[in-house]
Amino acid sequence: IRDVGFLDPSTKISWATSKKMGPFSARDFVTRCHYRCLRDGSLLLSTMSEAGLPCTDFRDEGSSPGEYVRMDVILGGYLFQSIGDGSKTRFQMVSLCNPGGALDSTVGAMISSMLCASGPIKFISALRRLSAANA
């Protein structure tokens, strides 16, 4: 992930990549990320694609060599809420994406649906590992 620029103290533009999976090309995406603390102390992060910035010059820095297919993050949202005595966090996530390329098809939709079932679990497992490493 690379921060491309900041629109204000709570909003940034980021460029990121994902690795190649099987026969499918690596993906890259440019997103507008907005952070907001809610009245109850929860943290809300909303994301969406920033179509006006190609950011293709960053592709050599990505996670996979070679060609990338642009992925469109139509809408993403993350909510972090402290629960109990503050030693635990409730994490909620919603994401609507168009992976582009060959995945933008009926077969691609089936594969994407399968990934949606396992992706959040892997994501939360990675967050737990990071949290334990930083504790």
Side-chain angles (χ1 to χ4, degrees):
I1 297 176
R2 177 180 175 150
D3 291 338
V4 176
F6 291 85
L7 302 178
D8 61 50
S10 300
T11 310
K12 68 178 182 176
I13 306 295
S14 295
W15 173 84
T17 63
S18 66
K19 294 181 179 178
K20 180 178 177 176
M21 293 188 315
F24 301 105
S25 299
R27 300 296 194 256
D28 75 338
F29 37 100
V30 180
T31 53
R32 179 184 298 228
C33 308
H34 180 76
Y35 300 84
R36 175 162 297 183
C37 286
L38 304 179
R39 284 185 216 135
D40 67 354
S42 301
L43 176 64
L44 176 68
L45 166 60
S46 59
T47 62
M48 63 185 287
S49 285
E50 187 66 40
L53 296 171
C55 295
T56 54
D57 49 330
F58 301 137
R59 289 182 169 175
D60 290 338
E61 301 171 19
S63 57
S64 296
E67 294 294 315
Y68 285 93
V69 173
R70 179 56 47 94
M71 182 171 168
D72 185 22
V73 179
I74 298 165
L75 176 67
Y78 309 87
L79 180 62
F80 303 86
Q81 295 173 301
S82 177
I83 54 177
D85 63 359
S87 63
K88 294 185 179 183
T89 302
R90 176 181 291 130
F91 173 71
Q92 298 177 36
M93 169 175 117
V94 64
S95 181
L96 178 60
C97 300
N98 177 356
L103 286 174
D104 190 11
S105 64
T106 302
V107 173
M110 290 171 34
I111 293 168
S112 293
S113 292
M114 288 187 297
L115 292 173
C116 287
S118 63
I121 295 168
K122 291 178 183 175
F123 182 74
I124 290 170
S125 294
L127 282 177
R128 285 184 176 153
R129 283 192 304 275
L130 282 171
S131 177
N134 291 322

